[in-house]
Amino acid sequence: RVPATILLGVFCGVMSLYFMRMMNFCENRFSKMREHPYAKLITGGLLLSSLIFLFPSLYGEGYNSIAIFINGQTEADWHQVMDGSLFYGHSELFVGYIALVMLTKIIATSSTNGAGGCGGTFAPSLFVGGFAGFLFARVWNMEKIGTYLPEKNFTLLGMAGVMAGVMHAPLTGIFLIAEITGGYALFVPLIVVSVVSVMVISIFEP
């Protein structure tokens, strides 16, 4: 599983770059509306509510969705993340739903921050990382690229990788997720994913 772990680190680094660039782009757009606070508020509210309508998983901090990935055992368990969405009942769209939620979470967070709310970056980076790790393992297993990858473990590794990349803090990602898991069984993979992620994003964001 070493190649898969390294590739996940690269993927997390790319997602961290997307996270930072999209966050800056959206917030710069909102900053140009500072002279029109009500327009900024309405724009942010409409954008955020539209995204939540399409992808209910974006509502709140998103820990419920992450818990489904970590604790789920079957397809039916994982498909609970689509409950309440237009994708509900379409299991063939599951991977696409995960990818879209992962990509739009940054826009939802930026809309919250840009419109005057407080969304932060810590929880969203964990959310995006969890979805990225699950998506990576899911696609890997679907395509039967190599040995089976446990989605639960890769969800946790993804959380560490994206958070480490966004914050340029590999040790924070490693030890935070190690504490969440209640042990150090994933310690070496956490190191690999977090360090590779930071190495990748440092090429573009020193």
Side-chain angles (χ1 to χ4, degrees), residues 5-6 8-13 16 157 160-165 168-175 187-203:
T5 305
I6 295 173
L8 176 62
V10 174
F11 183 51
C12 287
S16 301
L157 293 175
V162 172
M163 189 183 72
H168 283 63
L171 291 178
T172 302
I174 292 167
F175 286 105
F187 198 63
V188 173
L190 285 170
I191 293 173
V192 173
V193 171
S194 298
V195 171
V196 171
S197 176
V198 173
M199 289 173 63
V200 169
I201 195 171
S202 294
I203 298 172

Side-chain angles (χ1 to χ4, degrees), residues 65-126:
S65 297
I66 299 298
I68 289 173
F69 291 153
I70 294 174
N71 299 320
Q73 301 291 334
T74 65
E75 295 285 336
D77 293 337
W78 294 326
H79 288 175
Q80 290 179 41
V81 298
M82 297 194 295
D83 287 356
S85 74
L86 299 176
F87 293 74
Y88 178 75
H90 298 280
S91 57
E92 71 278 6
L93 301 177
F94 178 61
V95 171
Y97 179 83
I98 298 301
L100 288 171
V101 171
M102 178 183 69
L103 294 173
T104 54
K105 177 63 175 179
I106 296 96
I107 300 174
T109 301
S110 302
S111 300
T112 302
N113 293 336
C118 182
T121 57
F122 178 77
S125 69
L126 290 176

